[in-house]
Structure formats: C-alpha cells, structure tokens
Amino acid sequence: MTGIYILLLAAGGPLLLWLVFAGDADAGGDALSVIPLSSIAFFAATFGFVGVVGGATGAGAVALFVTSAVVAALAGLMSTQAFKWIRKNSVSSEVMDSELEGSMARVALEVSSDHKGKIIVDMAGAREQMTASPIDGSTIKEGERVVIVKVERGVALVAPLGPDLRLE
C-alpha cells in the first residue's frame, strides 16, 4: 500500500501545484467534465500524503486507508466548492475583441495602409492602446477620431469619424 500512497502523492502533488500556480485550478477536460481536474489532484495528493505520513507513524493498514480516503474525499469536495465560489465571485477587467467593435478611439500613431499605427480606446474604465490598420486603406493622422469596425488577431480595423461626431 505504501507504494500506492507514494505514487498518488508524487502524481497529485505536482499536478496540484501546477494547477494552482498556472491559474488553471478550476480546469477540467471533456473527459473529466463531471469531476474537475483540481478535485482529482487534491484527492490524489491528500490521499498520498495522509497515507505516507500515517504509514510512517505505524498506523494500521485498514485504518490508514479509510482515514486517507475520507480526508482526501473531503479535500476534493472542499476544493471544488472553493473554486466554484471563487469563479462566481471573481471579476475580470479583460475586454473581449467583440466588445471593442463600435467603440470610438483616438489615433496615437498615424494609421495607413503602408504601416500599422496605434489607437487609444477607453473601455471598461481603462485606457487601452491597440495596434490599428485602416479598414478602407486610407491614412488617418495622429489625433483624429476613429471607430473600431472589427478586431482581427489583435489588430483593430478602424474607420475615420466625421467632424460632427463627438468622442465621449
């Protein structure tokens, strides 16, 4: 049994650390959609840890197995609930490309068909700089107002705004 405890600790521990530090602690795969990968990692690492520590103290095999299984199951359930709560209560300031479409911006570096420029757009309370290209091949000078028509691979395709439209 000691070999199983060591194997689960050796597999579950690094996986758990990777999931937590890589920011994917709530990850699951298509095959594991019912049980999150983080819960499996918590279970394996806890089961292995309790088994190794309990084995070193000379605990009985049956009692050690039951204790390891119960503690590991609780750890897996608690991790699942904790990550559900974190996902539910977290807020992201990341703006999706589709949310930028239709937004007005100001040209910071000239945009033309010859070279990409930079625009500054205010979105979600933050000022963002983006690489931009004109959608119609025109040249748009620094300081002019534009509208973001589309975003492709991180580059905003922009069109100039008329003088009667105001950037707010």
Side-chain angles (χ1 to χ4, degrees), residues 34-150:
V34 175
I35 302 172
L37 187 56
S38 61
S39 297
I40 294 169
F42 265 94
F43 180 87
T46 305
F47 186 82
F49 180 76
V50 172
V52 168
V53 171
T57 62
V62 174
L64 181 57
F65 180 82
V66 171
T67 302
S68 296
V70 169
V71 171
L74 289 173
L77 289 172
M78 287 180 5
S79 75
T80 301
Q81 295 307 313
F83 288 120
K84 278 183 186 176
W85 183 86
I86 289 169
R87 277 191 308 274
K88 182 178 149 190
N89 293 301
S90 67
V91 176
S92 173
S93 62
E94 187 173 320
V95 176
M96 304 297 290
D97 288 348
S98 61
E99 293 177 271
L100 291 169
E101 294 173 6
S103 298
M104 291 185 263
R106 230 177 247 293
V107 176
L109 293 173
E110 184 177 274
V111 178
S112 73
S113 57
D114 295 334
H115 65 278
K116 294 178 178 150
K118 290 276 185 192
I119 60 170
I120 298 173
V121 60
D122 290 321
M123 192 69 171
R127 184 168 277 183
E128 299 288 331
Q129 283 191 19
M130 292 187 71
T131 303
S133 287
I135 195 150
D136 59 1
S138 63
T139 297
I140 308 169
K141 301 281 185 204
E142 184 177 325
E144 289 188 36
R145 297 171 300 179
V146 293
V147 64
I148 300 172
V149 178
K150 193 176 190 180

